[in-house]
């Protein structure tokens, strides 16, 4: 398969709006108009509960992992490793800017990026996921946990696996910046003490 065709497929696969579909099919609602308005597993959890949030989270992870795993193996031109990274970035971009929703209202890319890096660098990704769980457990802030994991991932990749010039490290740094960009409103609320916590009301 030509890599440019695979890039389009990775983007389209990432664009599948899992949370939107679950909200419409099982709740009869548009999740962009409920809770935080974000089409991610956290908002599904707030509005619809764990029963729906966990499948959304797992499918969003698969949206990142499967293009990297399969499309790279089918690529016949250039370096498969470099293209695997590119497919992962395309899938994350699709999740955040989904063509099926007119490039608006996607998720923030954390779950899909997790899937990408589970396929690219499993051990550093598991380290970042462990930090995510700890921050959520002790703080209740999913956004803070996402930001912490985004910072931890390139650090863990650099220490445990790759050099600073490797495509995987560069991709993790790009995704880190992208996650901070998609969480800019959350960062502002965290600074004001107005961010929502899981199971708790905001407190200054």
């Amino acid at each position: 398969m030509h890599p440019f065709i695979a890039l389009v497929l990775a983007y389209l696969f990432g664009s599948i709006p899992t949370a939107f579909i679950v909200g419409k099919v099982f709740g009869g609602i548009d999740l962009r108009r409920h809770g935080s308005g974000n089409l991610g597993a956290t908002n599904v959890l707030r509005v619809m509960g764990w029963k729906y949030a966990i499948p959304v989270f797992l499918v969003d992870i698969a949206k990142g992992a499967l293009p990297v795993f399969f499309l790279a193996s089918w690529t016949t031109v250039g370096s498969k490793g470099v293209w695997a990274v590119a497919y992962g970035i395309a899938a994350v971009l699709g999740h955040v800017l989904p063509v099926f929703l007119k490039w608006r209202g996607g998720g923030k890319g954390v779950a899909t990026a997790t899937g990408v890096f589970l396929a690219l660098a499993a051990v550093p990704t598991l380290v970042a996921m462990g930090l995510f769980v700890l921050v959520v457990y002790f703080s209740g802030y999913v956004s803070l946990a996402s930001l912490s994991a985004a910072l931890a991932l390139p650090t863990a990749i650099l220490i445990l696996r790759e050099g600073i010039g490797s495509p995987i490290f560069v991709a993790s740094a790009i995704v880190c910046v992208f996650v901070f960009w998609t969480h800019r409103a959350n960062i502002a609320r965290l600074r004001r003490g107005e961010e929502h916590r899981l199971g708790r009301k905001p407190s200054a």
Side-chain angles (χ1 to χ4, degrees):
M1 180 184 295
H2 195 281
F4 291 110
I5 296 175
L7 277 174
V8 173
L9 291 176
Y11 170 78
L12 292 175
F13 193 63
S15 287
I16 297 171
T18 318
F20 178 82
I21 294 170
V22 167
K24 282 290 188 180
V25 173
F26 297 101
I29 58 173
D30 183 345
L31 281 168
R32 294 174 295 179
R33 303 182 186 213
H34 296 269
S36 66
N38 179 254
L39 289 180
T42 302
N43 198 36
V44 176
L45 173 62
R46 289 193 184 106
V47 178
M48 301 178 68
W50 286 104
K51 178 180 176 181
Y52 299 101
I54 291 176
V56 167
F57 180 67
L58 294 176
V59 171
D60 283 349
I61 285 178
K63 282 162 51 177
L66 295 181
V68 171
F69 186 79
F70 287 106
L71 293 178
S73 65
W74 297 339
T75 298
T76 57
V77 179
S79 169
K80 292 185 178 181
V82 172
W83 282 116
V85 170
Y87 302 150
I89 292 175
V92 173
L93 187 62
H95 179 76
V96 176
L97 299 170
V99 64
F100 302 118
L101 297 178
K102 299 181 180 179
W103 301 282
R104 294 182 297 176
K108 294 182 178 177
V110 175
T112 303
T114 299
V116 169
F117 286 98
L118 278 173
L120 291 173
V123 173
T125 305
L126 291 173
V127 170
M129 291 175 69
L131 179 62
F132 177 92
V133 172
L134 287 174
V135 174
V136 170
Y137 180 79
F138 286 108
S139 74
Y141 292 120
V142 175
S143 58
L144 181 60
S146 298
L147 295 168
S148 300
L151 282 172
L153 180 60
T155 304
I157 288 174
L158 185 61
I159 294 172
L160 298 176
R161 175 168 171 161
E162 304 287 343
I164 197 168
S166 73
I168 294 176
F169 173 78
V170 172
S172 68
I174 292 172
V175 168
C176 177
V177 172
F178 197 56
V179 168
F180 269 75
W181 180 78
T182 60
H183 282 78
R184 58 197 184 280
N186 303 83
I187 293 170
R189 288 195 295 270
L190 284 166
R191 294 179 65 181
R192 296 194 302 265
E194 298 173 356
E195 180 70 322
H196 293 283
R197 295 185 182 188
L198 285 180
R200 284 170 270 184
K201 295 182 179 179
S203 60

